[in-house]
Amino acid sequence: MSRRIVVVGGVALGSKAACRAKRVDPEADVYLIDRDEYISYGGCGIPFYISGDVSDVSELRSTSFHMLRDERFFLKDKGVVALTGTEVTRIDRQGKTVAIRRKDGTTDTLAYDKLVLATGTTPRMLPLPGRDLENVFTVANLHDALAIKEKVTEGSIGKAVVVGGGFIGLEMAEALADMWEIETSIVEVFDQIMPGFVSPSLATMARKTIEDKGVRVYTSEKVEALVGEGAVSAVKTDKRTLDADMVIMAVGVVPNTGLAKEAGLEVTPQGWIVVNDQMQTSDPDIYSGGDCAAVKNLVTGELGYFPLGSMANRQGRVIGTNVTGGSARFDGAVGSFVVKIFDNALAGAGLTADRASAAGFDAVGIQVAQFDRAHFYIEKEVIFLELVVDEKTRRVLGIQGFGGKDSGMVARINAVAPLLKYKPGVEEISNLELAYSPPFASAMDIINALGNAASNYLDGRYRPMTMEAFAACWENRSCGDTFFLDCRANADAQPFADKYPEIWKSIPHDQLVDRMDEVPKGKKLVLLCNTGVRSYEAQLNLNAKGITDNVSAGAGIAGLKTWGVDFGLDK
Amino acid sequence: MSRRIVVVGGVALGSKAACRAKRVDPEADVYLIDRDEYISYGGCGIPFYISGDVSDVSELRSTSFHMLRDERFFLKDKGVVALTGTEVTRIDRQGKTVAIRRKDGTTDTLAYDKLVLATGTTPRMLPLPGRDLENVFTVANLHDALAIKEKVTEGSIGKAVVVGGGFIGLEMAEALADMWEIETSIVEVFDQIMPGFVSPSLATMARKTIEDKGVRVYTSEKVEALVGEGAVSAVKTDKRTLDADMVIMAVGVVPNTGLAKEAGLEVTPQGWIVVNDQMQTSDPDIYSGGDCAAVKNLVTGELGYFPLGSMANRQGRVIGTNVTGGSARFDGAVGSFVVKIFDNALAGAGLTADRASAAGFDAVGIQVAQFDRAHFYIEKEVIFLELVVDEKTRRVLGIQGFGGKDSGMVARINAVAPLLKYKPGVEEISNLELAYSPPFASAMDIINALGNAASNYLDGRYRPMTMEAFAACWENRSCGDTFFLDCRANADAQPFADKYPEIWKSIPHDQLVDRMDEVPKGKKLVLLCNTGVRSYEAQLNLNAKGITDNVSAGAGIAGLKTWGVDFGLDK
Ligand SMILES: Cc1cc2nc3c(=O)[nH]c(=O)nc-3n(C[C@H](O)[C@H](O)[C@H](O)COP(=O)(O)OP(=O)(O)OC[C@H]3O[C@@H](n4cnc5c(N)ncnc54)[C@H](O)[C@@H]3O)c2cc1C
Ligand SMILES: Cc1cc2nc3c(=O)[nH]c(=O)nc-3n(C[C@H](O)[C@H](O)[C@H](O)COP(=O)(O)OP(=O)(O)OC[C@H]3O[C@@H](n4cnc5c(N)ncnc54)[C@H](O)[C@@H]3O)c2cc1C
Ligand SMILES: CC(C)(COP(=O)(O)OP(=O)(O)OC[C@H]1O[C@@H](n2cnc3c(N)ncnc32)[C@H](O)[C@@H]1OP(=O)(O)O)[C@@H](O)C(=O)NCCC(=O)NCCS
Ligand SMILES: CC(C)(COP(=O)(O)OP(=O)(O)OC[C@H]1O[C@@H](n2cnc3c(N)ncnc32)[C@H](O)[C@@H]1OP(=O)(O)O)[C@@H](O)C(=O)NCCC(=O)NCCS
Ligand SMILES: [Ca+2]
Ligand SMILES: [Ca+2]
């Protein structure tokens, strides 16, 4: 008899697992069940549908060869029976059946040999007064997408507030502001956008880019109520009231694991389904993955939670293989991500310094700036990377970066992400073998410079200062105990020295050894140049003279300007 | 007393090693010696200087902050004494000195504590009649660059022949043809361009792109003589005579290892200096690296030769660390490379299938085609990857690819290259964790599809046909034993079926299971669709019916068209 595979949830993990299972075992009966009428859609494309970069919602449901992925498609193209508008209400593990309820109210039970839980998540809705007002949206599925798009195309939305500065919030804010010219604000309760994903320095760079495009960003600010009559008209925070014709709530997700819990499957304290490295739950006949499950974080070794569509697809295939008798493995993840921020990429993998410290590592983040291509090549731009390393073991724990308008940033993040599970040391990043030709990289690529800077720091040769730290120091510059030594060419440095004669001095790096006696004594020195190379070399020159009470502005003035430090000078 | 470090050769490896050494030990006396007057230049930028993408030759000698890297720069900025126009003529290992001869004929000896040989290579000049004619150039240094640029700017060059279809030949041909509208031909003695670097299939794709831009490419063709009076006027091959006002010889390099050999240092049979993983030669006080040295190929475990500027830089830093008492390691390389082919990238790392077979592996190359970004995203293009795997062990031995106008291709190659030394299996590529968001990748990225296709092949589930094999089969289509089954939508397939009614049939994949009896019997079937997904799935449907004498056109019609298969139809 053919085996029966029942998959609950039909978006990313579920549909992938179902299709793969049928391919591996063409004899199997495969059911794909979803309570929604839309299945198999690219939810990740919703912000781009709103922005117009995806022209029609049907494209999010179509294959690359323009076939709509509806029930007929699953049946005819994939041999999978898709039951939409059908909720699974209970699992009977003993009897190996699930209970289903159709939209029309009819119910049934369906036997399974292997069951797959791909129930995903529900967007978190803050328990705020006014949350049920019209024009308050979450962004999770095509219903949301259609409803939001309809509103913005109507032209009645002049102002919008996005609650949450995570990746969905940022993408939605960009879509509303850039395409629809809606006056958009982001309110984030943490003190930075993309909390947990990137350092404060990189978050501030992204924030400035967003603000430069006219989107207002309010961090460390808590939404207290949504205000309006019928429809929302304003958002009240603990600091102000923002007018709003539309509110997008993008404050995270909660796993849909009621079914799993009721069935007595093991879940984490936060509610995610626990699976082993074959994606099996605590019941070996039940598999799970995607947004509703936790997998091992390959950096910490602990369970982690990575609600990513790419992850769901890869896990789905592993499950499809295994429910048909295979033994494919999914060892875990490091959480590679990327988000487009207007013409830039914000990306990363592994742990941030903050997360790594919280996980017990002795973590530090080293920041560097460099051109993404050969500096002599016609097209290029300065990009920024941060390497998170453990000071005790020199182990690389994560990498994050900002900048670059094409795939140059992911080209670097992708090179490090798959290595992280092998516990590389910083020297492995110094020697990382990227493909080099002037239109694509530098001979000593920024990724190698990043490893080198980290090794210099760990060797006690380099004392960098993060962009956040510089900004704080610059704010307090009038207190007089810090002195800025500018190692750039005099033409670049002199305007700064002229404007801040008490605290800023120009000694080009190629003159430093000869002019050592001009270096201010008894002050904490901050060494500066454009990207951090000359200021590092100046630090070595000072080290050699025993002058060590100084730091080098890590990502240079290029970094500080992108960050938003205001030097009060035009260029 | 301070240690004396003498570096012979001042381009990539030498200048990096010297600068790093001085940074690690500021007390050291560091000498950088080169017989040329130009040192520390970006040779990799020469083709882009010719093409105009680098506007002035001085940019190839300048830092990112526009400082010319001349003797003064090395002294003042780096604390390194650069002696240009100075040849090292002999090494006295006993006495630890080198003999030098200056341009003016004066000689001297210089003692060393540690010596670094960074003597690089000399371009190979074929022993051809006419090789000394005017306007016959090699491309190795700034003298060549200046001379070639002068000629092309004069406007007297109407036709050029590039001898050699390796990366320098291709870059030079593009520069001459694209920027200067010179009628350019490439003559390559092997049967493909980029021999040893990519498969015949990928080479043909690149070749077609080049030919579409008007450059003629002659493979399997041997240059026999350069013809002309005073200046070159033609190139005689074993098949034809090509008019030529300029000839670029780009047929490889020979190592400058006379000094090393005379000093009795160990060299490989091909003449490259042998070093250990600290970049030490057989004399522990003498280090070497860059183009004149061999390092371990991390895929084969044998000595390999990787004449790449990026490699020289990374090795240079390791040497700089070690000559000043450190113990940095350089374990070897996998040879990541990329070359821009007009608006596309041709890139790779590790072994090609041919090289892997020669090295004793049971190698196969699996080819896939997929969009570089989410197929529903507005900007995207189909790119092509090939994974080289060992059939016995499922180990991944290499990856190569073609396509994509930005860094999307290197973003994939870079993700695999650093892993190769860990001997990953194909499943590791299936689960490779690339950063995903629609503007940068696909949820199931092409890299994952590549691993999946390879695992399906190894599992006996998928029988792909390479593009080269398809082309050969298409050439012989009239012999009548092959039948083409087109699994695309009827609108795409019918024109082919109409044009080739005897051998081509349209059964869209979603109708195949129902129309199984229409599948031609007793013929070898070639299954086709646009990128290879539906034809693979059709193969599974046929497998299930026991019909296995069929192959799936691996990279689909998208691949075959890019390759240049002529279907005799407009679209
Ligand atoms: C706006 C947006 C942008 C995103 N961008 C990215 C990105 O750039 N990169 C990235 O990697 N990821 C991105 N994601 C995340 C990605 O979409 C999710 O990780 C992915 O959809 C998870 O797939 P899943 O199948 O696990 O769960 P889901 O997509 O949540 O699907 C679960 C399905 O299960 C159904 N279901 C639940 N319970 C039952 C039940 N009892 N009976 C029947 N059906 C049930 C639900 O109706 C739902 O259709 C984005 C998500 C959104 C919303
Ligand atoms: C046109 C072109 C394009 C390239 N493109 C790329 C690319 O895209 N990517 C990439 O990775 N690589 C590329 N390369 C290769 C890269 O330039 C080389 O790998 C790199 O220059 C090697 O550096 P090296 O220091 O080892 O040797 P070299 O650059 O060869 O320098 C050796 C130096 O040693 C000097 N010398 C030799 N013997 C003596 C002696 N006895 N006394 C004194 N001096 C001596 C020579 O004069 C020479 O200056 C390209 C090369 C060329 C020519
Ligand atoms: C598309 C979807 C229905 C899965 O169906 P699928 O049948 O696995 O579809 P795919 O086209 O990805 O893969 C089909 C097969 O072709 C193979 N394949 C893909 N590209 C190939 C190529 N170029 N050559 C050969 N085989 C290829 C795949 O490996 C797969 O086979 P396998 O799993 O047996 O190895 C499911 O992924 C889906 O619904 N996706 C949209 C939702 C989503 O992912 N949302 C979140 C992110 S936006
Ligand atoms: C430039 C050249 C002279 C080397 O000099 P160098 O002093 O090592 O120069 P770099 O600017 O690369 O590096 C200087 C230091 O700054 C460090 N650094 C680089 N970027 C940094 C950043 N953003 N922040 C902090 N430190 C940084 C480097 O790690 C290096 O220090 P380390 O080696 O002690 O770790 C040599 O590489 C050269 O001649 N290059 C051109 C020739 C060439 O490479 N040709 C072939 C390819 S086209
Ligand atoms: Ca940018
Ligand atoms: Ca292209």
Side-chain angles (χ1 to χ4, degrees):
Chain A
M1 238 199 53
S2 61
R3 55 163 78 88
R4 165 83 61 81
I5 294 155
V6 173
V7 180
V8 190
V11 181
L13 185 116
S15 51
K16 180 50 94 175
C19 293
R20 169 68 179 170
K22 185 70 186 177
R23 278 191 293 273
V24 177
D25 179 5
E27 298 293 298
D29 278 345
V30 184
Y31 284 87
L32 182 64
I33 307 181
D34 206 298
R35 59 188 174 201
D36 203 331
E37 76 226 61
Y38 297 126
I39 55 171
S40 182
Y41 55 83
C44 319
I46 293 173
F48 305 98
Y49 166 62
I50 303 299
S51 78
D53 282 343
V54 172
S55 54
D56 192 273
V57 80
S58 68
E59 294 183 39
L60 298 180
R61 298 178 61 204
S62 299
T63 65
S64 62
F65 42 91
H66 309 296
M67 191 169 274
L68 194 70
R69 294 193 302 263
D70 56 9
E71 293 84 339
R72 184 193 167 280
F73 166 82
F74 276 94
L75 191 64
K76 291 295 177 182
D77 242 281
K78 304 291 176 177
V80 166
V81 180
L83 306 176
T84 60
T86 304
E87 182 163 12
V88 171
T89 52
R90 219 178 69 86
I91 304 168
D92 174 0
R93 289 169 52 192
Q94 230 64 46
K96 295 184 79 171
T97 62
V98 294
I100 62 174
R101 184 174 52 222
R102 302 188 191 87
K103 270 252 156 81
D104 65 10
T106 60
T107 61
D108 225 328
T109 61
L110 197 66
Y112 68 81
D113 294 301
K114 301 287 173 190
L115 181 68
V116 180
L117 297 179
T119 48
T121 58
T122 301
R124 174 176 293 130
M125 181 45 97
L126 300 176
L128 297 173
R131 67 179 177 276
D132 295 325
L133 288 168
E134 216 184 298
N135 297 349
V136 175
F137 296 99
T138 54
V139 195
N141 56 41
L142 293 192
H143 303 285
D144 304 330
L146 288 165
I148 295 168
K149 184 82 172 236
E150 196 188 324
K151 284 292 166 194
V152 296
T153 26
E154 265 173 15
S156 60
I157 309 296
K159 296 182 179 187
V161 170
V162 173
V163 185
F167 72 92
I168 294 178
L170 298 182
E171 287 180 346
M172 289 301 295
E174 179 171 334
L176 297 175
D178 202 34
M179 173 62 196
W180 299 99
E181 295 179 0
I182 293 169
E183 235 185 280
T184 305
S185 305
I186 297 170
V187 183
E188 166 61 56
V189 68
F190 284 96
D191 58 359
Q192 65 167 82
I193 59 170
M194 291 291 279
F197 285 88
V198 297
S199 67
S201 294
L202 294 176
T204 304
M205 288 183 142
R207 175 194 183 134
K208 174 160 191 295
T209 301
I210 293 167
E211 288 177 335
D212 285 350
K213 295 284 183 177
V215 175
R216 275 165 304 173
V217 181
Y218 302 103
T219 47
S220 303
E221 191 155 331
K222 198 173 168 176
V223 173
E224 296 189 326
L226 308 183
V227 185
E229 311 214 340
V232 71
S233 62
V235 173
K236 229 178 98 16
T237 76
D238 53 0
K239 296 196 180 138
R240 78 200 81 225
T241 296
L242 294 161
D243 290 344
D245 307 311
M246 174 184 272
V247 171
I248 305 284
M249 297 289 291
V251 292
V253 290
V254 286
N256 293 329
T257 45
L259 270 183
K261 279 187 216 160
E262 271 174 55
L265 299 177
E266 189 185 346
V267 299
T268 68
Q270 300 79 27
W272 278 280
I273 300 175
V274 174
V275 292
N276 65 15
D277 65 6
Q278 301 203 0
M279 307 301 298
Q280 256 165 332
T281 67
S282 53
D283 179 333
D285 290 324
I286 306 181
Y287 291 74
S288 184
D291 281 12
C292 63
V295 296
K296 195 201 252 181
N297 180 318
L298 291 170
V299 180
T300 62
E302 309 286 315
L303 279 184
Y305 170 58
F306 306 97
L308 294 164
S310 48
M311 202 79 78
N313 270 276
R314 293 187 295 262
Q315 293 176 353
R317 185 170 181 276
V318 166
I319 292 176
T321 303
N322 291 348
V323 290
T324 45
S327 56
R329 273 174 36 192
F330 190 88
D331 291 333
V334 299
S336 297
F337 72 90
V338 56
V339 52
K340 186 171 90 61
I341 306 280
F342 291 92
D343 288 335
N344 291 275
L346 182 67
L351 308 179
T352 59
D354 287 349
R355 285 249 163 126
S357 301
F361 291 101
D362 193 359
V364 62
I366 301 294
Q367 302 170 350
V368 304
Q370 191 175 306
F371 281 118
D372 57 347
R373 304 169 191 215
H375 66 265
F376 53 73
Y377 191 68
I378 191 163
E379 286 168 53
K380 73 231 160 194
E381 59 182 306
V382 177
I383 60 173
F384 306 93
L385 287 178
E386 181 162 344
L387 194 71
V388 179
V389 301
D390 180 51
E391 302 215 28
K392 275 208 236 30
T393 61
R394 303 175 83 93
R395 180 179 164 198
V396 176
L397 304 169
I399 180 170
Q400 294 87 30
F402 178 74
K405 64 179 167 302
D406 74 7
S407 297
M409 178 55 65
V410 293
R412 275 74 180 196
I413 301 298
N414 288 349
V416 173
L419 279 182
L420 288 175
K421 68 173 176 180
Y422 292 105
K423 303 193 189 344
V426 293
E427 283 68 25
E428 201 159 330
I429 309 302
S430 290
N431 284 331
L432 206 68
E433 201 175 336
L434 260 61
Y436 165 60
S437 167
F440 301 96
S442 302
M444 198 61 143
D445 194 67
I446 180 172
I447 201 90
N448 305 116
L450 184 67
N452 294 342
S455 81
N456 292 330
Y457 166 76
L458 295 171
D459 293 341
R461 196 173 277 138
Y462 178 41
R463 292 177 302 279
M465 179 181 223
T466 66
M467 293 178 258
E468 291 296 293
F470 181 94
C473 167
W474 184 245
E475 280 285 304
N476 293 322
R477 64 187 178 274
S478 55
C479 74
D481 55 356
T482 305
F483 202 93
F484 299 85
L485 186 64
D486 193 327
C487 307
R488 294 177 298 169
N490 197 255
D492 296 320
Q494 202 54 47
F496 289 70
D498 289 344
K499 182 155 177 117
Y500 306 104
E502 326 277 81
I503 54 165
W504 196 288
K505 190 176 173 74
S506 159
I507 306 184
H509 175 247
D510 59 345
Q511 300 174 17
L512 180 60
V513 172
D514 295 334
R515 292 170 60 185
M516 205 46 100
D517 52 344
E518 293 178 41
V519 173
K521 311 255 148 37
K523 300 261 182 182
K524 186 177 171 81
L525 288 184
V526 174
L527 309 172
L528 285 144
C529 68
N530 195 44
T531 62
V533 177
R534 284 167 289 176
S535 57
Y536 156 61
E537 295 202 273
Q539 203 167 49
L540 295 178
N541 300 135
L542 295 170
N543 288 352
K545 297 285 170 205
I547 307 169
T548 56
D549 186 16
N550 54 63
V551 290
S552 170
I557 288 179
L560 297 170
K561 285 184 174 168
T562 305
W563 187 97
V565 172
D566 183 5
F567 290 109
L569 283 154
D570 282 347
K571 57 165 247 162
Chain B
M1 239 202 52
S2 61
R3 56 162 78 87
R4 164 83 61 81
I5 294 155
V6 173
V7 179
V8 190
V11 182
L13 184 115
S15 51
K16 179 51 95 175
C19 293
R20 170 67 178 171
K22 185 70 185 177
R23 278 192 292 274
V24 177
D25 179 4
E27 298 293 297
D29 278 346
V30 183
Y31 284 87
L32 182 64
I33 306 180
D34 205 298
R35 58 188 175 202
D36 203 331
E37 75 226 62
Y38 298 126
I39 54 170
S40 182
Y41 55 83
C44 318
I46 292 173
F48 305 98
Y49 166 62
I50 304 299
S51 79
D53 282 343
V54 172
S55 54
D56 192 273
V57 80
S58 67
E59 292 181 41
L60 298 181
R61 299 177 61 204
S62 299
T63 65
S64 63
F65 42 91
H66 309 296
M67 192 168 272
L68 194 70
R69 294 192 302 261
D70 56 8
E71 293 84 339
R72 185 195 166 279
F73 167 81
F74 277 93
L75 191 64
K76 292 296 176 182
D77 242 281
K78 305 291 177 178
V80 167
V81 180
L83 305 176
T84 60
T86 303
E87 183 165 11
V88 171
T89 53
R90 218 178 72 85
I91 304 168
D92 174 0
R93 288 168 54 192
Q94 231 64 45
K96 295 184 79 171
T97 62
V98 294
I100 62 174
R101 185 176 51 224
R102 301 186 193 88
K103 270 250 155 85
D104 64 9
T106 59
T107 60
D108 226 326
T109 61
L110 198 65
Y112 67 81
D113 294 302
K114 302 286 174 192
L115 181 67
V116 179
L117 296 179
T119 49
T121 58
T122 302
R124 174 178 293 131
M125 179 48 95
L126 300 176
L128 297 173
R131 67 178 177 276
D132 295 326
L133 289 168
E134 217 182 299
N135 295 349
V136 176
F137 296 99
T138 53
V139 195
N141 56 41
L142 293 192
H143 304 285
D144 305 330
L146 288 165
I148 295 168
K149 183 84 173 233
E150 197 187 323
K151 285 292 168 197
V152 297
T153 27
E154 265 173 15
S156 59
I157 309 296
K159 296 182 180 187
V161 171
V162 174
V163 185
F167 72 92
I168 294 178
L170 298 182
E171 287 179 346
M172 288 302 295
E174 178 170 336
L176 296 176
D178 201 35
M179 174 61 196
W180 299 98
E181 297 179 359
I182 293 169
E183 235 186 279
T184 305
S185 304
I186 297 171
V187 182
E188 166 61 55
V189 68
F190 285 96
D191 60 358
Q192 65 165 84
I193 58 170
M194 291 293 277
F197 285 88
V198 296
S199 68
S201 294
L202 295 175
T204 304
M205 289 183 140
R207 175 193 184 135
K208 173 159 192 295
T209 302
I210 292 167
E211 288 177 335
D212 285 350
K213 294 283 182 175
V215 175
R216 276 166 305 174
V217 181
Y218 303 102
T219 48
S220 303
E221 192 156 330
K222 197 171 166 178
V223 173
E224 297 189 325
L226 309 183
V227 184
E229 311 214 343
V232 72
S233 62
V235 173
K236 227 179 100 12
T237 76
D238 53 0
K239 295 193 183 142
R240 78 200 81 224
T241 297
L242 295 162
D243 289 344
D245 308 312
M246 174 184 270
V247 171
I248 305 284
M249 298 289 292
V251 292
V253 289
V254 286
N256 294 329
T257 44
L259 270 183
K261 279 186 215 161
E262 271 174 56
L265 298 177
E266 189 185 348
V267 299
T268 68
Q270 299 79 27
W272 277 280
I273 300 174
V274 174
V275 293
N276 66 14
D277 65 5
Q278 301 204 2
M279 307 301 297
Q280 257 164 333
T281 68
S282 52
D283 179 334
D285 289 326
I286 306 181
Y287 291 74
S288 186
D291 281 12
C292 62
V295 297
K296 195 202 254 181
N297 180 317
L298 292 171
V299 180
T300 62
E302 308 288 314
L303 279 185
Y305 169 59
F306 306 98
L308 294 165
S310 49
M311 202 78 79
N313 270 276
R314 293 187 293 262
Q315 293 176 353
R317 185 170 181 274
V318 165
I319 292 177
T321 303
N322 291 349
V323 291
T324 45
S327 56
R329 272 176 37 193
F330 190 88
D331 291 333
V334 299
S336 298
F337 73 90
V338 57
V339 52
K340 186 171 92 58
I341 306 280
F342 291 91
D343 287 337
N344 291 274
L346 182 67
L351 308 179
T352 60
D354 288 347
R355 286 250 162 126
S357 301
F361 291 101
D362 194 0
V364 63
I366 301 293
Q367 303 171 349
V368 303
Q370 191 176 305
F371 282 118
D372 58 347
R373 304 168 192 216
H375 66 265
F376 53 72
Y377 191 68
I378 190 162
E379 286 169 53
K380 74 230 160 195
E381 59 181 306
V382 177
I383 60 173
F384 307 94
L385 287 179
E386 181 163 343
L387 194 70
V388 179
V389 301
D390 181 50
E391 302 216 28
K392 275 206 235 34
T393 59
R394 303 175 81 94
R395 179 178 164 198
V396 176
L397 304 170
I399 178 170
Q400 294 86 32
F402 178 74
K405 66 178 166 301
D406 73 6
S407 296
M409 179 53 66
V410 293
R412 274 75 179 196
I413 302 298
N414 288 348
V416 173
L419 279 181
L420 288 175
K421 68 173 176 180
Y422 291 105
K423 303 193 182 9
V426 293
E427 284 67 26
E428 201 159 329
I429 310 302
S430 290
N431 284 330
L432 206 68
E433 200 176 335
L434 261 60
Y436 165 60
S437 167
F440 300 95
S442 301
M444 198 61 141
D445 193 68
I446 181 172
I447 200 89
N448 305 116
L450 185 66
N452 294 342
S455 81
N456 292 332
Y457 166 76
L458 295 172
D459 293 341
R461 196 172 278 137
Y462 177 42
R463 292 177 302 280
M465 180 182 224
T466 65
M467 293 178 257
E468 290 296 293
F470 182 94
C473 167
W474 184 244
E475 280 285 303
N476 292 323
R477 63 186 178 276
S478 54
C479 74
D481 56 356
T482 304
F483 204 92
F484 299 85
L485 185 65
D486 193 327
C487 308
R488 294 176 298 170
N490 198 254
D492 296 321
Q494 202 53 49
F496 290 70
D498 289 345
K499 182 156 177 115
Y500 306 105
E502 325 278 81
I503 54 165
W504 197 288
K505 190 178 173 72
S506 160
I507 305 184
H509 174 247
D510 58 346
Q511 300 174 18
L512 180 61
V513 172
D514 297 335
R515 293 171 59 185
M516 206 45 103
D517 51 345
E518 293 177 41
V519 173
K521 310 255 148 38
K523 301 260 182 184
K524 186 177 170 83
L525 287 184
V526 175
L527 310 173
L528 286 144
C529 68
N530 194 44
T531 62
V533 177
R534 284 166 289 175
S535 57
Y536 156 61
E537 295 200 276
Q539 203 166 52
L540 295 178
N541 300 135
L542 294 170
N543 288 350
K545 298 285 169 205
I547 307 168
T548 56
D549 186 16
N550 54 62
V551 290
S552 170
I557 288 180
L560 297 171
K561 285 185 174 167
T562 305
W563 187 97
V565 172
D566 183 5
F567 290 107
L569 284 155
D570 281 348
K571 59 164 244 166

